[in-house]
Amino acid sequence: MDQYRYFIFNQRKMVVLGLLQVAFSTVCVVSGFIDGVFRAESELSKTRAPIWAGMVMGIPGVLALFSSQRKNPILVTAVIIASVISCATIFIVMVYSSLTLNYGEEELNHLPLHTVHTKYVLHRVVKGANIVMLIASVCSALVLLVIAYLGCQSLPYCSCYDSTTGMVSEE
């Protein structure tokens, strides 16, 4: 009887959440690219952490899209594991963007006027990219938690599962 259980998985919600996660991942990669191009060279900026973390952040979104089409418990388990790993990379992006919010305004005092204006504009672009990375990371963490929660609810060994009928108990 276990092999004929009804697999509980809300396809519409998972498609929307998967698309949101891929979008937040793309925002993080683009903002990390902007940060890497316009930032003054430092040891922290050479790591390109937001770009790599943004790519890892996209994996649960893609897996969520696949799992919404194929009702497979192994794929849902992979989504849950990828969501947890992606939460760790989100923490890395948050720490990186928090540490690098200051672009280096103290270096602008002794430069010619046109150079100071260019550096000021680049400072604002990099600061904006870091703020966008922080916002995208927080939103992505929330989406990942919802993806993991929905994934955990849909697995056959979930506590909300009725072992006789295979349906969700409405308690």
Side-chain angles (χ1 to χ4, degrees):
M1 184 73 180
D2 280 346
Q3 65 187 11
Y4 299 110
R5 283 186 159 183
Y6 178 75
F7 190 68
I8 307 152
F9 205 62
N10 194 332
Q11 290 179 339
R12 288 186 201 130
K13 285 183 184 176
M14 208 45 98
V15 168
V16 170
L17 291 171
L19 288 174
L20 280 173
Q21 183 60 29
V22 170
F24 290 136
S25 168
T26 305
V27 166
C28 187
V29 169
V30 170
S31 297
F33 184 71
I34 290 170
D35 180 67
V37 168
F38 295 120
R39 175 173 297 287
E41 287 296 317
S42 69
E43 290 302 317
L44 191 59
S45 68
K46 289 179 185 176
T47 62
R48 307 292 187 242
I51 296 172
W52 293 109
M55 290 181 190
V56 172
M57 284 168 47
I59 293 172
V62 172
L63 287 175
L65 290 173
F66 283 133
S67 68
S68 70
Q69 301 304 314
R70 295 190 174 94
K71 297 182 178 188
N72 185 351
I74 296 171
L75 190 57
V76 175
T77 305
V79 169
I80 295 168
I81 293 170
S83 296
V84 171
I85 292 171
S86 185
C87 282
T89 61
I90 288 172
F91 180 72
I92 291 170
V93 170
M94 287 178 161
V95 168
Y96 176 88
S97 57
S98 296
L99 289 176
T100 59
L101 267 175
N102 295 332
Y103 179 69
E105 288 180 359
E106 64 276 354
E107 301 170 2
L108 302 178
N109 297 334
H110 65 284
L111 298 172
L113 186 59
H114 70 283
T115 308
V116 169
H117 182 66
T118 303
K119 293 271 187 181
Y120 180 75
V121 170
L122 291 179
H123 166 71
R124 293 293 176 205
V125 168
V126 170
K127 189 175 251 188
N130 282 320
I131 291 171
V132 167
M133 274 191 284
L134 274 172
I135 293 170
S137 297
V138 169
C139 294
S140 179
L142 295 174
V143 168
L144 283 174
L145 290 174
V146 173
I147 287 174
Y149 175 72
L150 288 176
C152 287
Q153 271 192 330
S154 67
L155 291 175
Y157 37 87
C158 176
S159 63
C160 61
Y161 228 68
D162 183 12
S163 62
T164 309
T165 62
M167 300 292 197
V168 173
S169 59
E170 295 292 327
E171 298 177 286

